[in-house]
Amino acid sequence: DGDADRCLAVDADGRIVDGDQIMAILAVAMKARGVLPHDTLVATVMSNLGLHIAMREAGIEVRTTAVGDRYVLEELRRGGYSLGGEQSGHIVYPQAGTTGDGILTGLLLMGQIVRSGKRLAELASIVTVLPQELINVRVTDKHAVAIADSVRDAVEAAEQELGSTGRVLLRPSGTEQLVRVMVEAPTPELAHGIAERIASVVAEAGASARLASGRR
């Protein structure tokens, strides 16, 4: 990463090990050593549902925050927790610092590989990553569109269709006039189809909001 605050890994077979998998590896190891306060990990809303499932099976609670390392740090401090981060590989380990450090994350991960005697691929397999589709829809009023009735109905319909097998996350971008539509599902095809469907509704709501604004 450009400013070295993030770290991803690649296993011996060339597969990417992302921040969710790194957090899972470290959290399970810390719990086993008794150094994971309250058996809790802090992650953002963008973390894959597979991480939540893996942590639940490992007896670890996941506290979820808004996107951004500052929100992760706030929750770490609030609860006295010892590990948090983002899917992007931005891991915060308060014992050593208050921000992400890619070199530190790499060392923590390699340390666990050495202690366990296992290959990285085996350690990372604790998380079954669900297919994830992210579509950014450009609009003129992201906040108005995000709460439009038609958009809300589309999200609710998708959530009912997925049940416990996936999830939908719709949120305005923090920096641009975009609404981000993220869908996780059992298959890539289903994730893509549902995300496209919701994105279409978001785009229509954005066009309606633009026309309404032009008439005023």
Side-chain angles (χ1 to χ4, degrees):
D1 182 55
D3 57 0
D5 63 354
R6 306 178 193 210
C7 174
L8 299 178
V10 181
D11 71 18
D13 298 314
R15 290 186 293 259
I16 294 292
V17 177
D18 68 13
D20 285 344
Q21 292 164 301
I22 293 172
M23 284 191 290
I25 293 167
L26 297 179
V28 168
M30 291 169 67
K31 180 178 185 290
R33 299 200 307 272
V35 292
L36 188 70
H38 313 296
D39 291 341
T40 296
L41 170 69
V42 179
T44 76
V45 293
M46 292 302 290
S47 277
N48 194 273
L49 180 59
L51 172 66
H52 292 263
I53 294 171
M55 293 298 92
R56 183 166 62 243
E57 293 176 350
I60 296 172
E61 179 183 357
V62 179
R63 302 287 297 180
T64 304
T65 75
V67 175
D69 62 298
R70 71 186 183 99
Y71 299 112
V72 172
L73 180 60
E74 285 174 3
E75 184 63 18
L76 287 167
R77 286 174 166 169
R78 188 198 66 77
Y81 307 127
S82 61
L83 181 67
E86 301 183 273
Q87 187 184 61
S88 62
H90 200 155
I91 311 299
V92 183
Y93 182 63
Q95 182 178 332
T98 58
T99 187
D101 183 326
I103 294 175
L104 173 63
T105 300
L107 290 171
L108 290 171
L109 180 59
M110 288 188 288
Q112 181 53 25
I113 293 172
V114 171
R115 276 192 298 270
S116 69
K118 297 178 180 179
R119 289 162 50 105
L120 176 59
E122 184 179 353
L123 292 174
S125 68
I126 187 175
V127 177
T128 299
V129 178
L130 269 68
Q132 189 179 81
E133 183 81 14
L134 175 65
I135 299 177
N136 294 321
V137 184
R138 187 164 295 279
V139 296
T140 55
D141 188 340
K142 58 189 177 184
H143 296 294
V145 171
I147 62 172
D149 289 344
S150 60
V151 173
R152 184 194 63 225
D153 291 345
V155 170
E156 289 179 355
E159 289 174 337
Q160 289 180 3
E161 180 179 350
L162 288 168
S164 61
T165 66
R167 69 178 180 127
V168 177
L169 175 65
L170 186 143
R171 67 182 185 90
S173 165
T175 56
E176 303 176 80
Q177 283 295 339
L178 297 173
V179 173
R180 305 193 190 280
V181 179
M182 191 274 283
V183 176
E184 290 170 352
T187 67
E189 295 78 15
L190 185 57
H192 178 75
I194 292 176
E196 285 278 7
R197 192 167 72 222
I198 296 174
S200 176
V201 175
V202 170
E204 290 174 5
S208 296
R210 185 169 61 250
L211 289 173
S213 175
R215 289 195 293 268
R216 285 200 294 269

